[in-house]
Amino acid sequence: MTGTFTHDPPSAAGGRQSRPLIITEDAELLDDLLRLCAAAGATPEVHHCVPERGGGWEAAPLVLVGDDAARRVRGAARRHGVVLVGRDQDDPGVWKRAVRIGADHVLMLPDGEQWLVDRIADVAEGVGRPALTVGVIGGRGGAGASTLACALAVTSAREGLRTLLVDADPLGGGLDVLLGGETAEGLRWPAFAASRGRVGSGALEESLPRLHSLRVLSWDRGDCVAIPPQAVRAVLAAARRRGGTVVVDLPRRIDDSVAEALAQVDIGLLVVPAELRAVAAAGRVASAAGMVLRDLRVAVRGPYAPGLDDREVARLLGLPLAGEVPVETGLLRPHEGKAPPGAARGPLARFCTGFWERALVEAGAA
């Protein structure tokens, strides 16, 4: 059981990590709250009453007041981010006590545990603007979607943005290979297959291989070719909480796990070679992806078949045109020990730079 009052939620100033404050003398309740803080990756400050020194009451991003301590905090200065925590589901007096201390929220354990873990994790991590998340999907096999995804990520990192590249295609050969980092240390998708609930965003970022100034979540060379939908949801949500940009290389077949990825994508790019068979195949992919993804745009790749240009391809697919993807050698062949896609300041890099400039302005992040 939980209940909310109409106060604005607290935020960690400047996105800094901060310690929640616990006020209670109930040993059993304290054990539960410490357990939930540990699950959220936070180390709290604990007091039996309002701290007299150090400004803990005012400075803490979140204050968890045990119902036993409500009377002892009644004289404290009013502030946002106070949660009154109790256990008695049938006690109507808890709402009066919450109003008297200016609580934003009333929470009863154990029902509200997951909500509280998420709230504690938010303040521990310092939640800001979520990452602008772009999904890239090929209209047909060999369209160059993986290379474009890598180029977008490399360009984003070069512009100084925190960038995570996610390989959501288990049969694609591995984006770490395309970036020349298949032996780089760090975790791959199989390590997250059992993830449930909330994944710590900072821990996720630090655990992944760092290649070309960005983090990469790819596949290992093992037999695991599927990640449960709930794990995909948890990992991508953690990636988005870190801010910056996330680029997801998507397979053409939309299963439950891919649908979870699409649900967290802000902009989808459908890469379509300018030929009639590719347009026909891309139409089927667009129909499936469009059931989940609201903003799907077409990126057209030449050379052009007779009678086709980028605008005509977009018209045939009924999608907005994101632009023409320049034809470069790197777009047609896998990484061969040279610079990764988008690293050289050529036409492909210019396409990616222009895309990010527009997308970030649209998202209000520039």
Side-chain angles (χ1 to χ4, degrees):
M1 169 182 160
T2 60
T4 307
F5 293 93
T6 55
H7 291 310
D8 295 330
S11 60
R16 298 189 302 270
Q17 290 190 348
S18 302
R19 298 174 64 187
L21 172 65
I22 297 175
I23 300 178
T24 183
E25 284 186 320
D26 184 330
E28 185 178 354
L29 179 61
L30 177 59
D31 285 345
D32 283 338
L33 293 178
L34 291 175
R35 171 176 56 83
L36 297 177
C37 285
T43 302
E45 182 180 350
V46 179
H47 290 270
H48 295 321
C49 58
V50 176
E52 295 181 359
R53 298 178 181 177
W57 174 265
E58 293 83 5
L62 181 67
V63 179
L64 308 178
V65 179
D67 196 23
D68 66 290
R71 184 175 301 173
R72 296 193 296 277
V73 302
R74 283 177 60 178
R78 294 298 177 103
R79 51 151 295 165
H80 297 315
V82 177
V83 180
L84 184 63
V85 185
R87 295 183 181 279
D88 188 351
Q89 305 275 359
D90 300 320
D91 179 9
V94 69
W95 301 98
K96 293 181 179 180
R97 293 191 290 276
V99 170
R100 287 169 182 160
I101 67 172
D104 297 334
H105 205 95
V106 173
L107 181 139
M108 292 296 171
L109 299 180
D111 292 357
E113 285 193 356
Q114 187 56 58
W115 181 92
L116 188 54
V117 168
D118 289 345
R119 189 74 174 272
I120 296 169
D122 282 345
V123 299
E125 293 176 358
V127 174
R129 181 188 295 274
L132 176 59
T133 303
V134 176
V136 186
I137 186 168
R140 66 153 170 81
S146 294
T147 304
L148 179 57
C150 287
L152 285 168
V154 169
T155 304
S156 171
R158 187 174 60 234
E159 295 298 319
L161 297 171
R162 171 183 275 126
T163 306
L164 174 60
L165 176 61
V166 179
D167 186 353
D169 185 358
L171 302 180
L175 293 186
D176 54 350
V177 176
L178 189 58
L179 291 171
E182 60 269 28
T183 61
E185 293 185 0
L187 299 181
R188 268 64 174 182
W189 263 120
F192 300 98
S195 299
R196 301 292 186 274
R198 186 184 180 105
V199 174
S201 59
L204 171 69
E205 183 180 46
E206 293 301 318
S207 72
L208 299 177
R210 182 178 177 86
L211 302 169
H212 308 287
S213 301
L214 58 97
R215 297 287 180 171
V216 182
L217 176 54
S218 189
W219 299 84
D220 61 15
R221 313 284 86 85
D223 296 331
C224 178
V225 293
I227 300 296
Q230 55 267 39
V232 173
R233 183 191 315 126
V235 169
L236 285 182
R240 284 171 56 82
R241 287 196 303 272
R242 292 296 281 175
T245 67
V246 175
V247 181
V248 187
D249 182 29
L250 296 158
R252 297 192 310 281
R253 182 175 179 274
I254 311 299
D255 58 18
D256 290 344
S257 293
V258 176
E260 286 289 352
L262 283 168
Q264 299 197 53
V265 166
D266 299 308
I267 301 172
L269 292 180
L270 181 65
V271 184
V272 184
E275 56 189 47
L276 287 176
R277 287 188 63 192
V279 173
R284 293 190 289 270
V285 176
S287 178
M291 296 178 66
V292 183
L293 179 58
R294 289 179 294 180
D295 188 351
L296 181 62
R297 311 175 189 183
V298 60
V300 183
R301 199 201 81 199
Y304 292 94
L308 287 181
D309 60 19
D310 53 355
R311 296 182 184 277
E312 179 64 10
V313 171
R315 187 191 69 80
L316 291 171
L317 291 170
L319 295 174
L321 178 63
E324 178 184 354
V325 181
V327 178
E328 287 187 355
T329 302
L331 194 64
L332 303 177
R333 291 205 304 265
H335 177 73
E336 296 176 350
K338 301 178 182 178
R345 295 183 181 274
L348 181 57
R350 288 196 293 273
F351 171 87
C352 294
T353 298
F355 169 81
W356 285 122
E357 288 175 351
R358 294 188 299 274
L360 290 167
V361 169
E362 290 174 10

